Amino acid sequence: MESMIHQAERRKRSRGLLVIGILIVLIIVAFVISMNTGFIRLSPMEVVRTLFGGGTAQQHLILFEFRLPRIVISILIGAGLAVSGCVMQGLSRNALADPGILGVNAGAGLMVMLYVSFFSSTVSGSVFLLPILALIGAGATAVLIYVLSYKKGEGLIPTRMLLVGIGVAAGISAAMIVLTLRLRPEEYQFVASWLAGRIWGTSWKFVVALLPWLIIFLPFVFYKAKVMNVLNMGDQTATGLGTSIERERLLLLAAAVGLAGACVAVSGGIGFVGLIGPHLGRRLVGPKHQILLPVSALAGALLVLVADTLGRWILQPTDIPTGVVVAVIGAPYFLYLLGKSKM
């Protein structure tokens, strides 16, 4: 019996490594295609030549100053939002939990809009401040949702958490609409792009601003994978195994909010990545978080990279906001999951 369990574990591990390998290959393929996608065409050979120090000054400018930063940012925010969604689904034991649906993204966006509304300095000059402001907004929203969803004696109620999150997100969205009435035309253009989910941070300084937050929070979440497995067993079992439930939940929730807030500050209001990435990962490798978390991160990175590439390709020279493309994919999937859930 024990040998059969070990064999099953080995098969699951092998399957997980295979899925990770396939997703990495798909990301590399999408990466190459994305580098060749844009209003100014670059052939694959021109891309390779420019990457290795050749190419014209124009080709170098297009590739290294415009396309590569945007591609790297797409991968980073896709991974960050997917892992954030995976943590929220695990903590709430609700398959529909997602930073966008629960209102965390809206809270981050409200802080970004407040900054744009009341301070005259340019957004590009405050690139390192925006992730911090978004983190504060996302954190305050998460605390509000947690407090309203928590019931003494019963703990965190998943269904209530989802409904409270939707209500809080609606309220914040209404406040953001009111704030847009006092914006100048250039500020309104930025906010409208942000709300649509356009990746507006497309230079290397945005990569530098985002990367430290991912370096802090992603390893922490991966380190807590075993704790998340225990929490999924239920509060009584987790307590019996010696887990400090509320402490671990708060730490993991803080990490999830940090990831979502930092990513949203650069990416705008991109939704559904935290919903689709973990669900795809769970279907491919199962619920064990040691494998589920990296698979979710890769799936989210692939989704955002493909969506951004399609958005730049479909209506050239105009680009469709990445959030719109993701929503076209994610909204039907959300309705499908909602229909299957037992709420």
Side-chain angles (χ1 to χ4, degrees), residues 131-142:
I132 299 175
L133 293 174
L135 183 62
I136 294 172
T141 305

Side-chain angles (χ1 to χ4, degrees), residues 35-243:
M35 284 195 296
N36 289 276
T37 302
F39 178 62
I40 299 176
R41 299 288 299 173
L42 295 179
S43 68
M45 287 306 300
E46 288 173 334
V47 169
V48 172
R49 189 164 57 246
T50 306
L51 285 174
F52 286 96
T56 65
Q58 184 190 40
Q59 291 170 346
H60 189 279
L61 178 67
I62 292 169
L63 195 62
F64 285 97
E65 298 302 323
F66 293 102
R67 291 187 186 171
L68 273 177
R70 182 164 179 159
I71 292 170
V72 172
I73 286 172
S74 298
I75 292 172
L76 292 178
I77 63 177
L81 290 173
V83 171
S84 177
C86 188
V87 173
M88 289 184 178
Q89 290 176 17
L91 292 180
S92 65
R93 296 197 294 276
N94 192 322
L96 301 176
D98 164 80
I101 297 169
L102 291 180
V104 174
N105 288 2
L110 180 61
M111 286 298 294
V112 173
M113 182 177 287
L114 286 171
Y115 179 81
V116 173
S117 300
F118 292 101
F119 294 91
S120 58
S121 61
T122 60
V123 175
S124 59
S126 56
V127 57
F128 296 100
L129 179 61
L130 283 177
I132 299 175
L133 293 174
L135 183 62
I136 294 172
T141 305
V143 170
L144 176 62
I145 293 170
Y146 188 91
V147 170
L148 294 176
S149 305
Y150 188 88
K151 191 172 183 180
K152 191 173 181 180
E154 296 183 28
L156 193 66
I157 302 174
T159 303
R160 179 181 292 184
M161 182 177 181
L162 179 66
L163 296 175
V164 167
I166 293 173
V168 170
I172 293 175
S173 297
M176 292 172 74
I177 291 173
V178 172
L179 283 173
T180 58
L181 300 177
R182 69 177 306 276
L183 297 178
R184 296 192 299 270
E186 62 274 14
E187 295 171 339
Y188 179 80
Q189 185 177 3
F190 165 75
V191 170
S193 297
W194 191 96
L195 290 173
R198 189 185 303 275
I199 298 178
W200 61 276
T202 55
S203 66
W204 290 112
K205 64 181 180 181
F206 289 93
V207 176
V208 174
L210 176 61
L211 200 56
W213 300 96
L214 299 186
I215 291 175
I216 293 171
F217 291 122
L218 283 179
F220 174 77
V221 172
F222 291 158
Y223 173 72
K224 291 289 186 178
K226 290 183 178 179
V227 174
M228 293 182 66
N229 290 337
V230 173
L231 291 176
N232 278 349
M233 296 178 182
D235 292 358
Q236 291 184 344
T237 304
T239 302
L241 293 172
T243 304

Side-chain angles (χ1 to χ4, degrees), residues 248-315:
E248 296 294 347
R249 273 183 179 159
L250 287 174
L251 289 174
L252 285 165
L253 183 61
V257 169
L259 286 171
C263 291
V264 164
V266 176
S267 70
I270 298 179
F272 296 111
V273 178
L275 178 74
I276 298 174
H279 267 278
L280 182 60
R282 203 171 286 110
R283 284 178 176 272
L284 291 173
V285 299
K288 194 172 182 180
H289 284 87
Q290 287 91 332
I291 299 294
L292 175 60
L293 286 169
V295 169
S296 298
L298 292 171
L302 179 63
L303 173 63
V304 176
L305 179 55
V306 170
D308 183 59
T309 304
L310 287 173
R312 288 188 286 121
W313 172 73
I314 293 174
L315 293 179

